[in-house]
């Protein structure tokens, strides 16, 4: 079968490759077989030579380099643990870096002060912003929108408080009016039933109405006439108060001596029948008028 022939060809090819590899006829390609692992070397002399090549002989104030050894942990209890730092322990490793940097700072600060080099940032120090002007503009707009939203919320709170206060005052006024009305109705019922002979509720109404009238009159007096009225008064004069001859008074209202009931109700002498003068002037009916017309013909 074709599958059997393919498997035989592949097996022959693998065996041939193995024989060629054993004879050393194969050339090295991507995969290189190493006989032994390379040995690690610590070439301290070579490192010092490289360091001396690129090292510059400058003053320390120009270099500002500080080299310090490993600093002991002050919290360690035994002296043997002071120099031992577990490299696999992240906390111990980071703390050793922190202590070493702290020791370097303590060593460098006295040197800087001796050289009169300032170590603190001045009050008027200006540093360029890392963010662009567009980003800062967006931040400013956002802060402004937040402030406007806070102001709107405060105004809304004030309006709600004022509405609540207005509703409270309105309800108090309505309750007081209802109470006064109820008291007046009870007083009227008592007076109608004969339980009380006092009319104090009427006096209270009159005083309240008079107070309202006085208040309106005082408002009118305070306001005074307008400019047009004053000009016309100055041009045409002011008529003054009328005589009031036709005004009713208390005495004229109570005087009924000139009243005649017969004259008022058309019952005086010379009146024809029950209707009196109206009966004489009464228009005849339709049939009577037709009869009168036929007679005239």
């Amino acid at each position: 079968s074709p599958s059997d022939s393919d498997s035989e060809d592949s097996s022959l090819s693998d065996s041939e490759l193995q024989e060629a590899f054993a004879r050393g006829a194969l050339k090295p390609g991507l995969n290189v077989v190493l006989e032994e692992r390379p040995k690690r070397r610590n070439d301290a002399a070579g490192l010092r030579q490289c360091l001396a090549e690129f090292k510059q002989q400058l003053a320390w104030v120009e270099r500002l380099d500080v080299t310090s050894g490993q600093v002991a942990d002050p919290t360690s209890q035994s002296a043997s643990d002071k120099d031992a730092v577990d490299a696999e322990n992240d906390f111990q490793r980071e703390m050793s870096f922190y202590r070493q940097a702290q020791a370097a700072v303590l060593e460098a600060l006295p040197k800087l002060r001796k050289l009169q080099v300032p170590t603190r940032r001045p009050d008027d120090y200006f540093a360029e912003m890392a963010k662009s002007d567009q980003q800062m503009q967006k931040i400013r707009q956002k802060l402004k929108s937040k402030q406007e939203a806070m102001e709107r919320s405060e105004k809304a709170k004030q309006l709600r408080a004022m509405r609540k206060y207005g509703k409270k005052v309105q309800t108090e006024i309505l309750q007081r009016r209802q109470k006064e009305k109820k008291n007046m109705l009870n007083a009227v019922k008592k007076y109608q039933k004969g339980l009380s002979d006092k009319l104090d509720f009427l006096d209270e109404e009159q005083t309240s109405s008079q107070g309202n009238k006085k208040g309106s009159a005082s408002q009118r007096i305070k306001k005074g006439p307008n400019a047009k009225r004053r000009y016309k008064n100055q041009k045409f004069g002011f008529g003054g108060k009328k005589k009031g001859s036709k005004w009713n008074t208390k005495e004229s209202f109570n005087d009924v001596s000139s009243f005649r009931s017969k004259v008022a109700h058309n019952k005086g002498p010379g009146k024809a029948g029950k209707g009196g003068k109206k009966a004489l002037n009464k228009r005849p009916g339709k049939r009577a008028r037709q009869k009168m017309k036929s007679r005239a013909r």
Side-chain angles (χ1 to χ4, degrees):
S1 64
S3 60
D4 295 337
S5 61
D6 293 339
S7 61
E8 289 177 359
D9 294 339
S10 61
S11 63
L12 289 173
S13 61
D14 292 340
S15 61
E16 289 176 358
L17 288 173
Q18 290 175 2
E19 290 175 0
F21 180 72
R23 291 195 306 268
L26 294 177
K27 295 180 180 180
L30 297 174
N31 297 326
V32 179
V33 179
L34 300 176
E35 296 179 359
E36 59 182 2
R37 299 184 67 180
K39 295 180 180 180
R40 295 180 179 178
R41 293 185 300 173
N42 185 13
D43 191 1
L47 292 174
R48 290 192 186 94
Q49 183 180 358
C50 291
L51 180 62
E53 288 178 357
F54 63 82
K55 185 177 180 181
Q56 296 180 357
Q57 298 296 330
L58 298 174
W60 181 82
V61 71
E62 298 291 338
R63 294 181 285 111
L64 295 178
D65 55 345
V66 178
T67 304
S68 62
Q70 187 177 356
V71 183
D73 188 2
T75 60
S76 61
Q77 298 177 358
S78 61
S80 60
D81 295 339
K82 289 182 180 180
D83 298 334
V85 177
D86 187 6
E88 300 298 331
N89 192 341
D90 295 339
F91 180 75
Q92 290 184 4
R93 187 175 65 251
E94 295 298 329
M95 284 303 297
S96 66
F97 293 157
Y98 172 74
R99 288 193 299 272
Q100 190 173 4
Q102 193 175 20
V105 170
L106 293 175
E107 184 180 350
L109 277 176
K111 293 182 179 180
L112 292 171
R113 289 172 183 170
K114 187 177 180 181
L115 295 171
Q116 296 181 358
V117 177
T119 57
R120 290 191 178 184
R121 180 179 296 176
D123 296 335
D124 57 348
Y125 179 78
F126 175 76
E128 187 177 357
M129 295 295 294
K131 295 181 180 180
S132 61
D133 294 341
Q134 295 178 355
Q135 184 70 16
M136 295 303 295
Q137 190 69 19
K138 289 181 181 178
I139 294 171
R140 192 178 293 108
Q141 290 178 359
K142 191 172 183 180
L143 293 174
K144 188 177 180 181
S145 62
K146 284 184 178 179
Q147 186 178 2
E148 290 177 353
M150 290 175 64
E151 290 178 357
R152 286 197 298 270
S153 64
E154 288 294 331
K155 288 182 180 179
K157 287 180 182 178
Q158 292 178 0
L159 287 174
R160 285 196 294 270
M162 290 173 66
R163 287 173 184 170
K164 286 182 180 179
Y165 181 74
K167 287 181 180 179
K168 185 179 178 181
V169 172
Q170 188 176 6
T171 51
E172 289 178 355
I173 292 171
L174 292 175
Q175 288 175 0
R176 188 174 70 249
R177 288 179 181 175
Q178 289 177 358
K179 188 176 180 180
E180 292 176 356
K181 186 176 180 181
K182 187 176 180 181
N183 294 334
M184 187 184 69
L185 290 175
N186 291 333
V188 170
K189 287 181 181 178
K190 287 181 181 179
Y191 182 78
Q192 289 176 350
K193 291 179 181 179
L195 299 176
S196 176
D197 56 349
K198 296 180 179 179
L199 298 175
D200 298 338
F201 56 91
L202 296 177
D203 297 337
E204 291 177 0
E205 285 186 355
Q206 289 176 0
T207 53
S208 62
S209 62
Q210 288 176 2
N212 294 331
K213 288 180 180 178
K214 287 180 180 178
S216 61
S218 62
Q219 289 177 0
R220 286 196 297 271
I221 291 169
K222 288 181 181 179
K223 188 177 179 181
N226 55 10
K228 187 177 180 181
R229 183 72 267 167
R230 289 198 300 271
Y231 173 75
K232 287 189 175 182
N233 291 341
Q234 183 180 2
K235 184 177 180 181
F236 301 105
F238 184 69
K241 188 178 179 181
K242 303 298 184 293
K243 291 187 293 183
S245 59
K246 295 185 179 181
W247 289 1
N248 256 339
T249 60
K250 187 176 181 181
E251 291 78 8
S252 64
F253 178 77
N254 293 327
D255 185 13
V256 292
S257 59
S258 61
F259 178 74
R260 299 289 182 269
S261 61
K262 293 181 179 180
V263 176
H265 296 96
N266 295 324
K267 292 183 179 180
K271 306 298 180 183
K274 187 176 180 181
K277 188 176 181 180
K278 290 183 179 179
L280 296 174
N281 297 330
K282 187 177 179 182
R283 184 184 181 188
K286 187 176 181 180
R287 290 185 178 180
R289 292 197 304 272
Q290 289 177 355
K291 289 181 181 179
M292 290 170 63
K293 286 182 181 179
S294 61
R295 289 175 185 174
R297 290 176 184 174

